[in-house]
Amino acid sequence: AAFITHPEVYRVLVWWLALAALGIAFLPLTLRLFRGFHDGGYLFARVLGLLLTSWAVWLAASIGLAPFSAATISAAVALAAALNYAPASARSGVREFLRHKARIVVAEEYLFLLAFLAWAFLRSVKPEVDSIEKFMDLGFVNAVLRAEWMPPADMWLSGKPINYYYFGHVFTAFLCRLARVPSEIGFNLMIATLFALAVSLPYSIVSSLLRRVDPRGVKKAVAGGLLAASLLAAGGTLHPFIYGALLPTLKSAGL
């Protein structure tokens, strides 16, 4: 209840809407690239949108064409959407897709949103940025947000640019600018976004593969997709299961 009624919870929804907008902007391209997917690769559209628009803005700021700013980011998203929907075939393709796949789109959006909200809630329980490399990561995100031109200044070495692979931090800063979310909140929301993608994208891949094997096996495709999502997002390397359950059982059996 404290999470839902918190005055800042609207930023969670704005972040999700920004991701959804990127996905809609790149849906025509995604439908062409993922035409073999039963769901048209719907959720991959937001990955393509984030990747290509943030790269374009980063490149523009790297060669001195346009600064890394909210105005440039908004313009890049608007331009990308205009280019994607310019052909009449693209617009008609999206309409046909939404007409025939509306239930699948809604179901996958619910899956993404549920995973996103669940991890955002978990981060809200302990939102501090105080362990492992989180301090450095937030510092690099802030360095990108403070910079107009790329590469940003290195917070560890005064007067020098970041000497690190920092494009993931550009992703986060890009979404912070697009959703108008401060970096200390956007940092945790990006973690929730990665978890939601780790749940929803494997579901899309595996359920689509199973539908190709058995077009009528809808329940099997859904079950297989959810199993894949659970194993990838929550199973990891099975380290807790092996060392917490399997190994003690074997030892107690004298093996």
Side-chain angles (χ1 to χ4, degrees), residues 152-206:
D154 192 336
M155 67 181 189
W156 303 118
L157 191 60
S158 179
K160 298 293 183 180
I162 287 181
N163 181 22
Y164 194 77
Y165 38 95
Y166 66 95
F167 197 63
H169 306 93
V170 172
F171 272 5
T172 308
F174 181 94
L175 280 173
C176 286
R177 285 267 193 260
L178 184 63
R180 305 295 199 273
V181 171
S183 60
E184 66 272 17
I185 295 177
F187 179 88
N188 287 320
L189 292 180
M190 192 64 189
I191 294 175
T193 300
L194 294 175
F195 176 76
L197 291 174
V199 169
S200 56
L201 299 186
Y203 172 84
S204 173
I205 294 172
V206 173

Side-chain angles (χ1 to χ4, degrees), residues 68-90:
F68 190 89
S69 64
T72 303
I73 288 170
S74 298
V77 174
L79 178 60
L83 292 174
N84 271 288
Y85 284 89
S89 59

Side-chain angles (χ1 to χ4, degrees), residues 26 34 41 63 65 68 76 86 94 105 107 141 151 198 204 215 222 252:
F26 278 81
F34 290 79
I63 63 177
L65 184 63
F68 190 89
V94 170
V105 167
V141 171
S204 173
V222 171
S252 66

Side-chain angles (χ1 to χ4, degrees), residues 56-69 72 140 142-154 160-162 166 170 177:
V57 172
W58 171 84
L59 182 62
S62 297
I63 63 177
L65 184 63
F68 190 89
S69 64
T72 303
F140 281 177
N142 285 330
V144 174
L145 288 170
R146 284 194 298 267
E148 283 193 333
W149 310 103
M150 297 291 125
D154 192 336
K160 298 293 183 180
I162 287 181
Y166 66 95
V170 172
R177 285 267 193 260

Side-chain angles (χ1 to χ4, degrees), residues 104-128:
I104 294 176
V105 167
V106 171
E108 291 192 352
E109 196 63 66
Y110 269 124
L111 178 63
F112 178 90
L113 184 58
L114 179 63
F116 177 66
L117 290 176
W119 210 261
F121 167 74
L122 288 177
R123 286 301 302 163
S124 74
V125 176
K126 191 182 185 301
E128 298 84 6

Side-chain angles (χ1 to χ4, degrees), residues 208-223:
S208 292
L209 288 172
L210 291 174
R211 287 296 293 269
R212 287 175 69 100
V213 174
D214 182 8
R216 296 184 179 181
V218 178
K219 292 183 179 180
K220 291 180 181 179
V222 171

Side-chain angles (χ1 to χ4, degrees), residues 27 29-45 97 101 104 108 204 208:
L27 192 53
L29 174 62
T30 305
L31 292 178
R32 289 197 296 271
L33 294 177
F34 290 79
R35 62 172 58 94
F37 278 51
H38 182 70
D39 61 358
Y42 169 73
L43 290 171
F44 285 88
F97 169 75
K101 305 288 186 179
I104 294 176
E108 291 192 352
S204 173
S208 292

